[in-house]
Amino acid sequence: MILHGYWRSGAAYRTRIALELKGLTFGQAGVDLRTGAQRSDGFMALNPQGMVPALEVDGAVLTQSPAILEWLEETHPTPPLLPSEPLGRAQVRAMAALIGCDIHPLNNLRVGKALRETFGADQAAVDAWAARWITPGFAALEALTAQHGEGWCFGGAPTLADCYLIPQIYSARRFNVPLDAFPALLAVDRKAGEHPAFAAAHPDRQPDAD
């Protein structure tokens, strides 16, 4: 498997976490979003959407991190990243979607670039924009984690929800979003910091990191 990604991309980060949690061996190919490498002919041949991550496997290319994570769960079920019961699986997927659908897309690199280039936003305005979506999303996830978590977002072992949460906390800190109001989420973040799979997936430890 070869993971095409950008070291600071939240979607690539969550994919690395899942690969590491599954104990899978994979190579990495850096795609520097800042230089427009995602629009190169070579990468567009892999992913016509021109976005990361893209996972090369068995002669195929998988795109969109939710699809990649679901594929990993189906093809490498141990350790599981979804609960065994249907209601639990639905809850974890909902927690993941809260981040993947309602928070992350609004504070990724291309949105920040559009805010700067189209609307003349400075860094303070970009930070405020990110906080506008991260803060209420985290408030909802805090309540769900307090209800369902036993050390992690759901239950006592990492799930897909944690794969999504940790990169979003990393992004929140980059945008200077206050996090003191979310003790349950910060507890998960501390626990993840002590877990070898999450540590290996951290942006600073990637071969293409600055």
Side-chain angles (χ1 to χ4, degrees), residues 139-172:
L141 195 61
E142 172 78 12
L144 292 169
T145 299
Q147 179 181 355
H148 297 292
E150 298 173 11
W152 297 94
C153 285
F154 187 99
T159 67
L160 292 182
D162 305 290
C163 295
Y164 279 75
L165 172 64
I166 299 308
Q168 192 59 63
I169 288 181
Y170 174 83
S171 291

Side-chain angles (χ1 to χ4, degrees), residues 3 6-22 26 52-53 64-69 72 81 95-108 159-168 171 197-198 201-203:
L3 178 66
Y6 172 57
W7 63 283
R8 212 159 54 183
S9 158
Y13 188 179
R14 71 177 69 127
T15 304
R16 292 194 303 268
I17 292 172
L19 287 163
E20 295 286 354
L21 285 170
K22 296 290 187 181
F26 62 99
V52 296
Q64 289 290 344
S65 61
I68 295 172
L69 268 59
L72 286 170
L81 299 181
M95 296 168 88
L98 190 158
I99 295 171
C101 298
D102 298 331
I103 300 177
H104 173 255
L106 290 162
N107 57 82
N108 64 18
T159 67
L160 292 182
D162 305 290
C163 295
Y164 279 75
L165 172 64
I166 299 308
Q168 192 59 63
S171 291
F198 286 86
H202 193 278

Side-chain angles (χ1 to χ4, degrees), residues 2-208:
I2 300 175
L3 178 66
H4 298 259
Y6 172 57
W7 63 283
R8 212 159 54 183
S9 158
Y13 188 179
R14 71 177 69 127
T15 304
R16 292 194 303 268
I17 292 172
L19 287 163
E20 295 286 354
L21 285 170
K22 296 290 187 181
L24 298 173
T25 300
F26 62 99
Q28 293 201 59
V31 182
D32 194 335
L33 305 184
R34 297 166 298 184
T35 64
Q38 71 275 20
R39 295 187 296 275
S40 69
D41 291 343
F43 187 72
M44 291 291 286
L46 288 175
N47 181 6
Q49 193 178 12
M51 297 176 67
V52 296
L55 184 68
E56 286 190 83
V57 57
D58 295 335
V61 179
L62 304 178
T63 62
Q64 289 290 344
S65 61
I68 295 172
L69 268 59
E70 290 282 353
W71 176 84
L72 286 170
E73 185 70 358
E74 291 175 5
T75 58
H76 301 84
T78 304
L81 299 181
L82 286 169
S84 58
E85 70 283 0
L87 285 176
R89 290 199 298 273
Q91 186 63 65
V92 167
R93 286 183 171 116
M95 296 168 88
L98 190 158
I99 295 171
C101 298
D102 298 331
I103 300 177
H104 173 255
L106 290 162
N107 57 82
N108 64 18
L109 183 63
R110 62 178 183 165
V111 170
K113 184 177 180 180
L115 290 171
R116 292 182 177 91
E117 294 181 355
T118 304
F119 301 104
D122 59 12
Q123 188 59 49
V126 172
D127 289 354
W129 169 267
R132 176 177 180 176
W133 310 109
I134 293 173
T135 300
F138 272 11
L141 195 61
E142 172 78 12
L144 292 169
T145 299
Q147 179 181 355
H148 297 292
E150 298 173 11
W152 297 94
C153 285
F154 187 99
T159 67
L160 292 182
D162 305 290
C163 295
Y164 279 75
L165 172 64
I166 299 308
Q168 192 59 63
I169 288 181
Y170 174 83
S171 291
R173 290 184 170 126
R174 286 184 55 227
F175 292 116
N176 301 303
V177 179
L179 298 175
D180 291 345
F182 313 117
L185 302 186
L186 291 175
V188 173
D189 184 56
R190 288 192 296 272
K191 194 173 185 69
E194 300 170 354
H195 194 294
F198 286 86
H202 193 278
D204 292 348
R205 299 188 63 179
Q206 303 319 302
D208 59 328

